[in-house]
Amino acid sequence: MSSPFSNFKEFSDAKGPIYTFANNPTMIGFLLVVCLAIVVYFLYASYTIKQEVPAKTPAALSLLLVAGAASILGMEFVPQSHKQPETSRHQQSQHSTARNWQPLALLGMVGIGGTQLGRKRRSPRRKPLRRPR
Amino acid sequence: MSPEAQEFLGTFVAESFYYWASVFMLLIHAGFLAYEGGASRTKNVLATMVKNLLTLASVGLSFFFFGWWVYNAFPFFPITGGILGPWTNPEQSKAIATAMPYVDASYPWSPALAPNTGDHITGVFFFAFALFAMTTASILSGALIERVKIGAYLVMSIVLGSFTWVVAAAWGWNPFGWMFTQLGYHDFGCAGVVHGVSGFFTLGVLMNLGPRIGKYDADGRPRPILPHNLPLTMVGLMLIFVGFYAFLAACLIFLPGYTGETTIYGTPMTLASIGVSTTLALAAGLVGAYISSKGDPFFTISGGLAGIITAGGGMDLYHPSIVIILAFIGAFLMPKVSIALEKRGIDDPVGACGVHAFCGFLGSAVVGIVAAGYPQGEGIASINPIGQIVGTLICTVLLGFIPGYATSWLLKKFNLLRVSPQEEIDGLDLSDLGAEGYPEYATLAFVDDATAQRGTSVPRTSIDLAPE
């Protein structure tokens, strides 16, 4: 029994230690040694534990750059083929705004594509991330 | 100072203590909100957060209408008065006569809950318990993200937050509760009463809800669905830690006229030891999960909570060294449990089953061994392994898993549990709320629609680009 008390009156009137094994210093000493061992192992393990996070390879980066450049060039080319000769000033303004905005969106798309590419490459080796709470 | 002023000071101290502890408990919800929002994908972030937010409404109101009454009226059920009651007939025993004023003060029409200079305590206890109830229901919220109907979640949050856990608390976390008086069940920090009930309730719901689309491949192997904002999840858990200090402090009882602090069972304790034990459980839990998961960031930070829950049941009695060892063991095993459940088809995006169900069960049951023999009152059983394991099973199976499975099964039968596959693929932000969490970002939907609609108009926001 870890309780240092034999009856409730003794427990409720206690003016001192009420914790488990309060009457057994040997057990407390042993438990503290176990705790110390956990801490020491934690410090040791912190040098050995590594999550596998592979760096991007030059090939992946090159592919990303090529894909991004091709996408931007493609998007820049397509709007010109749709231009109408009789476009009003207002419509021209709209196209101009769209051209300024589209590369930004495409950069985002390229970034997402890069993430997907990296994920595919490392998926066989990487542990699935989990989100407990 | 006059004797009247001294007496009122004691009342004010008690009133203020529970008031501010409950206010800080709200940080648990801020944390859950951030954690779940970060754990979801971009297309579900708003719906996830709104669902969690509505827990405050569904549980807050239902706890006022019947949850608070259940806590005060159910301690004797079904031991006295039969199945249909009355369970609180004051002529039946002295204990019931003592409990009757608490029952009378818990009705929604009770003068004790309204402004009343004759009662400073009932209202503030209602406040604290309502926050406990919201915390319990909120544990369910994160596990169901990205595919549950908001209405279904609200129904289940009421069943869990305002009924089943409250019954568990009435039986096992109440000085009149029969699990305490008859079995000697002791659960200071609600490891079984809150976490065991809610974790196993969640497990029952997940079995009927099923995994998210794309979570498993054709061979049934789990695939990672990455959260959209990892830093937000980390900040969320830090807020939860802060809230848990308040949660555990609010488990202490100090009432006007008291000459010492007690647990809810009337046994002596100190608030200082809760500060020491919570800190050590948090630290050792982080260590256990870090080592076990080999540094996985999600498991590591969740290990802090796992450690606190594992040590919570007997935190009022444990020596710090026992707290460290228990928290380490619970948090060390938690990732293994979560992974095992995932392999068996349970898609639990936030690991609620590993952290709350497993660690709640362990933290509740282990009190019967580690704190065995502690006396708890005249005529009341001492802490013992049998009473503790029976009480833990009642919490987790009878009041957790079975109600969760049954409620979700019923909702599923009426097609009220899960959103349609198309809504799930589109994302619940647009399907449920008609708005996106990040309208200015170049999300995949944003870019797809931009390229599809280019030349017809100039989009200002992604809503312009992706109308329903």
Side-chain angles (χ1 to χ4, degrees):
Chain A
M1 292 290 183
S2 59
S3 169
F5 305 106
S6 56
N7 60 63
F8 183 66
K9 182 166 175 40
E10 198 180 313
F11 183 29
S12 60
D13 292 346
K15 299 292 179 197
I18 58 171
Y19 53 79
T20 47
F21 300 112
N23 55 351
N24 191 345
T26 309
M27 177 61 86
I28 295 294
F30 170 73
L31 293 170
L32 286 171
V33 169
V34 173
C35 294
L36 191 63
I38 291 172
V39 175
V40 171
Y41 181 70
F42 166 54
L43 295 176
Y44 164 75
S46 66
Y47 280 97
T48 61
I49 289 174
K50 289 273 185 291
Q51 283 283 323
E52 294 170 350
V53 184
K56 283 188 173 61
T57 62
L61 286 172
S62 305
L63 200 60
L64 261 176
L65 289 170
V66 170
S71 299
I72 292 169
L73 284 173
M75 291 301 293
E76 284 298 306
F77 170 74
V78 173
Q80 290 172 4
S81 65
H82 285 255
K83 274 186 179 174
Q84 301 298 318
E86 62 274 17
T87 301
S88 69
R89 186 175 296 174
H90 176 62
Q91 285 170 321
Q92 282 176 344
S93 167
Q94 283 184 334
H95 280 297
S96 170
T97 310
R99 271 202 303 276
N100 289 338
W101 162 85
Q102 281 161 347
L104 288 175
L106 284 162
L107 277 176
M109 187 168 69
V110 170
I112 291 164
T115 309
Q116 296 291 335
L117 184 66
R119 193 178 304 165
K120 277 179 191 167
R121 286 186 59 80
R122 61 179 175 255
S123 60
R125 285 194 293 154
R126 188 177 180 183
K127 283 175 55 183
L129 288 173
R130 293 178 179 81
R131 298 154 295 284
R133 165 176 82 183
Chain B
M1 186 182 287
S2 69
E4 292 80 9
Q6 277 190 331
E7 186 183 344
F8 181 72
L9 187 61
T11 301
F12 183 71
V13 167
E15 186 182 12
S16 302
F17 175 76
Y18 291 109
Y19 183 90
W20 291 111
S22 304
V23 169
F24 280 108
M25 264 198 274
L26 198 58
L27 284 176
I28 295 176
H29 294 273
F32 280 159
L33 191 92
Y35 189 96
E36 288 172 31
S40 65
R41 285 168 288 182
T42 312
K43 62 181 180 179
N44 296 312
V45 60
L46 271 187
T48 297
M49 289 183 151
V50 167
K51 173 172 63 64
N52 184 286
L53 186 67
L54 290 178
T55 311
L56 304 183
S58 62
V59 178
L61 294 172
S62 57
F63 194 79
F64 169 71
F65 284 119
F66 59 86
W68 185 223
W69 172 80
V70 169
Y71 178 72
N72 288 288
F74 272 59
F76 303 99
F77 171 81
I79 301 297
T80 61
I83 294 295
L84 297 176
W87 312 309
T88 46
N89 179 2
E91 294 173 359
Q92 200 164 345
S93 75
K94 193 178 171 186
I96 296 177
T98 310
M100 270 311 286
Y102 298 105
V103 181
D104 291 335
S106 62
Y107 297 113
W109 51 86
S110 163
L113 288 176
N116 184 338
T117 55
D119 188 345
H120 291 256
I121 301 299
T122 301
V124 85
F125 266 91
F126 166 85
F127 181 26
F129 271 82
L131 265 294
F132 273 77
M134 292 168 188
T135 299
T136 309
S138 203
I139 291 166
L140 169 71
S141 171
L144 315 182
I145 60 171
E146 305 196 318
R147 75 273 209 205
V148 73
K149 285 187 175 179
I150 285 187
Y153 168 70
L154 293 180
V155 169
M156 291 186 288
S157 73
I158 291 171
V159 173
L160 172 61
S162 291
F163 188 68
T164 62
W165 99 269
V166 193
V167 174
W171 291 352
W173 204 62
N174 186 313
F176 303 109
W178 65 265
M179 263 167 46
F180 165 62
T181 58
Q182 308 294 315
L183 302 176
Y185 182 74
H186 185 100
D187 189 3
F188 166 77
C190 299
V193 165
V194 165
H195 303 284
V197 171
S198 61
F200 275 85
F201 189 101
T202 301
L203 180 62
V205 174
L206 287 175
M207 290 173 72
N208 281 313
L209 183 64
R212 291 168 289 176
I213 292 173
K215 175 63 188 174
Y216 292 91
D217 64 17
D219 299 325
R221 286 189 297 256
R223 291 189 291 214
I225 296 180
L226 299 181
H228 88 284
N229 192 332
L230 307 187
L232 191 61
T233 63
M234 304 290 257
V235 171
L237 258 166
M238 288 303 295
L239 290 171
I240 292 172
F241 292 155
V242 176
F244 260 83
Y245 276 91
F247 180 101
L248 290 164
C251 294
L252 173 149
I253 303 295
F254 179 79
L255 294 174
Y258 270 35
T259 55
E261 299 148 347
T262 74
T263 65
I264 204 159
Y265 308 111
T267 53
M269 65 166 291
T270 65
L271 181 60
S273 69
I274 300 307
V276 173
S277 296
T278 308
T279 304
L280 294 177
L282 170 58
L286 291 171
V287 171
Y290 175 78
I291 293 173
S292 172
S293 68
K294 295 187 168 37
D296 182 291
F298 300 107
F299 279 134
T300 300
I301 195 161
S302 296
L305 191 53
I308 292 172
I309 294 168
T310 308
M315 198 176 266
D316 56 318
L317 301 170
Y318 294 155
H319 184 269
S321 59
I322 291 180
V323 169
I324 291 172
I325 293 169
L326 287 181
F328 177 83
I329 293 171
F332 186 89
L333 295 175
M334 176 269 294
K336 318 283 184 195
V337 173
S338 294
I339 292 168
L341 285 172
E342 187 182 51
K343 285 180 179 169
R344 281 160 182 73
I346 303 295
D347 179 16
D348 180 1
V350 295
C353 294
V355 175
H356 297 276
F358 170 71
C359 293
F361 186 98
L362 178 65
S364 173
V366 79
V367 177
I369 299 166
V370 180
Y374 266 90
Q376 303 195 90
E378 300 299 337
I380 294 171
S382 298
I383 297 175
N384 64 92
I386 303 294
Q388 206 66 30
I389 193 70
V390 171
T392 303
L393 287 172
I394 288 171
C395 287
T396 53
V397 180
L398 184 65
L399 297 170
F401 182 78
I402 293 174
Y405 189 91
T407 309
S408 56
W409 183 83
L410 273 176
L411 290 166
K412 188 179 181 182
K413 284 293 166 196
F414 291 99
N415 197 27
L416 296 171
L417 183 63
R418 185 165 178 150
V419 300
S420 69
Q422 190 57 49
E423 284 177 308
E424 189 177 338
I425 290 166
D426 291 345
L428 301 187
D429 284 3
L430 287 174
S431 305
D432 281 356
L433 306 175
E436 288 177 285
Y438 303 102
E440 309 301 327
Y441 282 18
T443 60
L444 279 172
F446 184 92
V447 173
D448 286 347
D449 287 317
T451 52
Q453 296 184 17
R454 190 187 57 249
T456 57
S457 65
V458 180
R460 299 290 179 195
T461 70
S462 63
I463 298 298
D464 296 331
L465 291 163
E468 298 92 319

